[in-house]
């Protein structure tokens, strides 16, 4: 069983950058494809970015492509989400998730494609 814990998010102004991380314990982190989802108030949870177990492929929602970067360090059992040029519409609770994969199929099912979840961390962007 994998446990996932996100770092603290934060409150930033539009245009700023923020990097959040998600540390795993238990299980075999290096065998899981990992993803970040987000859920804004009153909205459904949506896929943000995903990365394969060996970090040889990454996937992004169109809304964050070119601004966000997902990465991982298997030696640290950690996945990261670097967010640049943040916009107020990026305000959400960001949650990391893991899947036994493969990511390119699991992401098509959205949240249902994931097997493990963190509790989430709030990122607030003000204009």
């Amino acid at each position: 069983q994998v446990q996932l814990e996100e770092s603290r998010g934060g409150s930033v102004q539009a245009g700023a950058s923020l990097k959040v991380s998600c540390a795993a314990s238990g299980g075999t982190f290096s065998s899981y494809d990992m993803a970040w989802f987000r859920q804004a108030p009153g909205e459904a949870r949506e896929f943000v970015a995903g990365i394969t177990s060996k970090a040889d492929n990454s996937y992004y929602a169109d809304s964050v492509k070119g601004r966000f970067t997902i990465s991982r360090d298997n030696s640290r059992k950690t996945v990261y989400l670097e967010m640049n040029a943040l916009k107020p519409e990026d305000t959400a609770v960001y949650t990391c998730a893991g899947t036994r994969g493969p990511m390119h199929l699991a992401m098509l099912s959205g949240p249902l494609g994931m097997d493990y979840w963190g509790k989430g961390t709030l990122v607030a962007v003000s204009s």
Side-chain angles (χ1 to χ4, degrees), residues 34-50 59-65 67-68 70 81 83 86-97 103 106-114 117 123:
M34 299 296 295
W36 285 93
F37 284 75
R38 68 184 182 185
Q39 186 168 20
E43 302 290 330
R45 181 175 283 177
E46 64 174 357
F47 173 85
V48 175
Y59 309 88
Y60 296 93
D62 287 343
S63 58
V64 306
K65 201 171 293 183
R67 299 189 298 122
F68 289 14
I70 188 171
L81 184 68
M83 301 175 282
L86 282 161
K87 305 174 181 180
E89 51 264 44
D90 293 318
T91 295
V93 173
Y94 285 73
T95 307
C96 68
M103 178 59 68
M107 59 186 279
L108 297 177
S109 298
L112 294 177
M114 302 296 123
W117 291 92
V123 173

Side-chain angles (χ1 to χ4, degrees), residues 52 80 97:
T52 52
Y80 304 93

Side-chain angles (χ1 to χ4, degrees), residues 6-71:
E6 298 88 350
S7 62
R8 182 173 297 182
S11 296
V12 298
Q13 290 193 324
S17 298
L18 189 65
K19 188 173 184 178
V20 293
S21 62
C22 172
S25 60
T28 307
F29 178 77
S30 60
S31 67
Y32 299 115
D33 290 3
M34 299 296 295
W36 285 93
F37 284 75
R38 68 184 182 185
Q39 186 168 20
E43 302 290 330
R45 181 175 283 177
E46 64 174 357
F47 173 85
V48 175
I51 189 168
T52 52
S53 60
K54 293 179 174 58
D56 49 358
N57 275 302
S58 56
Y59 309 88
Y60 296 93
D62 287 343
S63 58
V64 306
K65 201 171 293 183
R67 299 189 298 122
F68 289 14
T69 302
I70 188 171
S71 61

